[in-house]
Amino acid sequence: MDKFTVLESVAAPLRIINIDTDMIIPKQYLKTIKRTGLGTGLFSEMRYREDGSENPDFVLNQPAYRKANILVAGDNFGCGSSREHAPWALLDFGIRCVISTSFADIFYNNCFQNGILPIKVSPEDLEKLFDDAERGANATLTIDLEKQEIRGPDGGTVTFDIDPFKKHCLLNGLDGIGLTMEKASAIDSFEKKLSERAWA
């Protein structure tokens, strides 16, 4: 998993509340267990018209936001089913950070397991960040995980809270497998002792 330290990017504003995981990645894309290739299906029911052409009104299809790595979204992002394909699709598209006032718990935790930083802010701070994001390519946000800061284009700063263990994992690029591998020598030592005891 890639480390998350400092991210500077244009932020795409998505002023929609209660975006569920089916909106993030519709069910027809769930046939795969691969984490790659899902970016094309991200928000597909909003990104594409019925004939398959792009909807020019959708934010991620607009030139300023096509390469956005940050998403500023409405309340209760990631609600609905627990599908892990939702963070996979965001990451495959290039989104490394989602900012909202609230997240569904399962989606929130899945983000950390997949190298995405979900940031909870107050409604007042979210409105400021929407204002920055709506300026398009003329304004970037900087996410500094170590300092727990979001820095705006005009020098304003929003601070955020994060669980220290989750922060440690993102800073060091550790998912569940990575954390286990950190303990590999201790596990090997334990297994060896167990084996010796069994044959004693």
Side-chain angles (χ1 to χ4, degrees):
M1 187 170 86
D2 290 339
K3 295 179 180 181
F4 191 114
T5 52
V6 177
L7 174 65
E8 183 175 354
S9 171
V10 167
L14 193 58
R15 282 186 180 269
I16 303 173
I17 63 169
N18 301 321
I19 291 181
D20 64 31
T21 51
D22 192 50
M23 293 168 72
I24 297 170
I25 186 73
K27 61 186 179 299
Q28 62 266 32
Y29 295 94
L30 305 186
K31 296 172 185 172
T32 182
I33 56 170
K34 294 180 181 176
R35 298 183 186 207
T36 56
L38 290 169
T40 55
L42 180 69
F43 299 121
S44 68
E45 291 176 358
M46 293 184 279
R47 274 174 70 199
Y48 306 110
R49 295 170 167 156
E50 284 188 19
D51 65 2
S53 63
E54 286 189 352
N55 171 9
D57 296 327
F58 187 66
V59 64
L60 293 178
N61 290 336
Q62 296 167 12
Y65 301 111
R66 282 187 179 272
K67 295 187 177 179
N69 301 130
I70 301 167
L71 192 63
V72 181
D75 307 340
N76 196 28
F77 190 88
C79 57
S81 70
S82 60
R83 63 186 67 166
E84 197 168 7
H85 291 70
W88 292 355
L90 287 163
L91 190 63
D92 193 56
F93 182 85
I95 303 293
R96 292 294 314 273
C97 178
V98 182
I99 304 169
S100 182
T101 57
S102 56
F103 296 89
D105 286 345
I106 294 174
F107 174 82
Y108 183 78
N109 289 313
N110 279 343
C111 281
F112 286 103
Q113 282 296 316
N114 288 283
I116 297 173
L117 173 60
I119 298 177
K120 297 177 187 177
V121 297
S122 69
E124 297 76 20
D125 284 337
L126 186 70
E127 195 55 42
K128 290 178 200 169
L129 295 167
F130 269 131
D131 288 344
D132 287 336
E134 286 165 355
R135 291 162 60 182
N138 297 320
T140 59
L141 296 180
T142 300
I143 314 294
D144 188 326
L145 179 55
E146 183 63 52
K147 293 182 178 177
Q148 296 176 211
E149 290 181 348
I150 305 167
R151 294 189 287 273
D154 299 322
T157 300
V158 172
T159 58
F160 59 91
D161 293 324
I162 185 172
D163 174 82
F165 177 71
K166 287 180 167 63
K167 177 180 177 179
H168 166 80
C169 289
L170 272 184
L171 285 171
N172 293 283
L174 298 171
D175 57 9
I177 294 170
L179 284 166
T180 302
M181 294 307 293
E182 278 195 324
K183 308 291 184 189
S185 61
I187 293 169
D188 290 344
S189 176
F190 174 80
E191 290 289 336
K192 184 180 177 186
K193 287 177 185 174
L194 198 63
S195 177
E196 288 169 353
R197 198 176 306 150
W199 293 103

